[in-house]
Amino acid sequence: MPELPEVEITRLGLMPLINHKVSQVVIRNSSLRWPVNLALNSILKDMPLVGLQRRGKYIFASFPIGTLIIHLGMSGRLCIASKKSAVQKHDHVDIIFNGPENKILRYRDPRRFGSITWTEDDPYQHKLIMSLGPEPLDNEFSADYLYEKLRNKSVCIKNAIMNSHVVVGVGNIYASESLFQARVQPHRPAHKISKDEIKSIVDAIKDVIENAINKGGSTLNDFFDVDGKSGYFQNEHHVYARKGMPCYLCDHPILQITLGQRSSFYCKNCQK
DNA sequence: CTGTTCTCCTGTGGGC
DNA sequence: TGCCCACAGGAGAACA
């Protein structure tokens, strides 16, 4: 489950492909979350990749005439492969580039929750992107902003911060981790959280995400960066998936509850 | 508008 | 060892 840090690491890892021209697009399986445009091969042929940006968990791969909006979903992964890399079972799309090395941007996604969407318009105006909330590391994502945004919302705070229209990039794992760090219990209604606690939550989200990016990291067993090296952040959760195990701060057992049909973990003693 | 539930999918792991 | 099945989850769609 790539979260924002993994997506950012992936984007950075793909930068060597910039300015390379597409020679061929191979679509082995077009049935991702939305059907992949089967005309991509003719659309992108001879087009140079001119930019790689990120908005939330979406990667924008831009070409002179349009943009691929890519989401890794649950199990998606982008890597730079070569002609001699064996194609594996769930390698659904290859974008093959010209040049002596014949680099390949390869999309693999066993569960196919991800998506590759072609647009010739401004990607920031795309309906998937337009209404996204602020980036967690931007100054725009502040205690003032979040407090205002949540003051009338009765949903629990964990579901609120996982809502990409509130703030992007906070998935199930980092939501639990951030709330532990902020010492706020996940099931509390969002509008009953004090301004000070909101500030702690904002700080915690920034800290957790920044940390994960700096560690090059992953919270995911099957996340690999573009060179195939495993992330090494995966066993550093304080509460996630630690049901019944002792809290690192106070030894109380970590509790698991279900919120919005997703597992949530917290320490009843440390979080208020 | 808000909040809730459903949905897509395959790999993994527990139980027997 | 093999079979069955619950579970995992991003986030839009559909629904109340």
Side-chain angles (χ1 to χ4, degrees):
Chain A
M1 42 238 79
E3 299 211 30
L4 189 145
E6 290 86 338
V7 177
E8 178 63 7
I9 299 294
T10 297
R11 182 185 75 87
L12 294 174
L14 298 179
M15 294 303 280
L17 296 174
I18 295 269
N19 291 330
H20 288 239
K21 281 187 180 176
V22 175
S23 70
Q24 193 188 2
V25 178
V26 177
I27 301 172
R28 297 186 194 82
N29 186 348
S30 64
S31 63
L32 302 185
R33 178 158 198 189
W34 296 290
V36 179
N37 187 334
L38 292 176
L40 274 186
N41 183 46
S42 54
I43 293 172
L44 291 181
K45 196 166 173 54
D46 296 326
M47 287 288 157
L49 175 68
V50 293
L52 285 165
Q53 293 169 291
R54 180 188 58 73
R55 178 73 178 93
K57 294 180 185 172
Y58 292 92
I59 289 175
F60 296 167
S62 52
F63 297 86
I65 54 166
T67 305
L68 287 175
I69 301 175
I70 303 169
H71 197 292
L72 301 178
M74 256 291 295
S75 55
R77 168 184 164 186
L78 285 166
C79 67
I80 299 178
S82 68
K83 284 277 189 200
K84 52 185 179 182
S85 326
V87 173
Q88 295 191 32
K89 189 175 177 184
H90 300 290
D91 292 343
H92 306 309
V93 177
D94 276 1
I95 299 176
I96 305 168
F97 290 89
N98 280 322
E101 302 164 81
N102 270 143
K103 286 181 172 170
I104 300 172
L105 174 56
R106 178 163 289 170
Y107 181 83
R108 175 180 305 170
D109 189 357
R111 269 162 261 190
R112 286 191 276 125
F113 279 16
S115 57
I116 300 179
T117 305
W118 172 251
T119 179
E120 298 185 357
D121 301 321
D122 177 2
Y124 289 93
Q125 299 304 314
H126 193 277
K127 65 172 183 175
L128 292 173
I129 307 299
M130 208 169 46
S131 59
L132 292 178
E135 293 285 328
L137 299 184
D138 277 3
N139 290 335
E140 189 190 338
F141 182 60
S142 62
D144 285 341
Y145 163 81
L146 191 63
Y147 187 73
E148 195 57 36
K149 189 83 177 174
L150 300 185
R151 61 182 302 170
N152 294 317
K153 294 211 187 295
S154 59
V155 285
C156 67
I157 184 63
K158 182 188 174 241
N159 289 358
I161 60 174
M162 284 179 67
N163 183 341
S164 62
H165 301 286
V166 172
V167 57
V168 297
V170 181
N172 198 43
I173 298 172
Y174 292 164
S176 281
E177 292 297 311
S178 299
L179 289 174
F180 174 75
Q181 191 165 316
R183 300 194 161 227
V184 173
Q185 296 194 2
H187 50 278
R188 287 175 54 194
H191 63 272
K192 292 192 176 171
I193 312 272
S194 74
K195 184 77 181 281
D196 280 351
E197 290 171 317
I198 288 286
K199 181 170 189 328
S200 301
I201 292 169
V202 168
D203 290 346
I205 288 172
K206 288 175 187 284
D207 190 65
V208 164
I209 286 184
E210 207 161 28
N211 237 323
I213 291 177
N214 289 340
K215 295 205 172 176
S218 173
T219 48
L220 172 65
N221 293 329
D222 57 350
F223 177 78
F224 292 80
D225 67 25
V226 289
D227 298 320
K229 199 177 70 177
S230 177
Y232 43 86
F233 194 56
Q234 55 201 35
N235 293 320
E236 296 186 14
H237 306 313
H238 288 89
V239 288
Y240 182 80
R242 297 197 64 245
K243 180 185 183 182
M245 298 165 73
C247 173
Y248 291 131
L249 297 185
C250 75
D251 274 352
H252 280 66
I254 300 300
L255 302 181
Q256 173 175 7
I257 57 175
T258 298
L259 298 171
Q261 297 171 315
R262 293 286 178 258
S263 292
S264 310
F265 301 87
Y266 70 106
C267 173
K268 193 179 177 184
N269 186 47
C270 290
Q271 295 169 252
K272 302 301 176 192

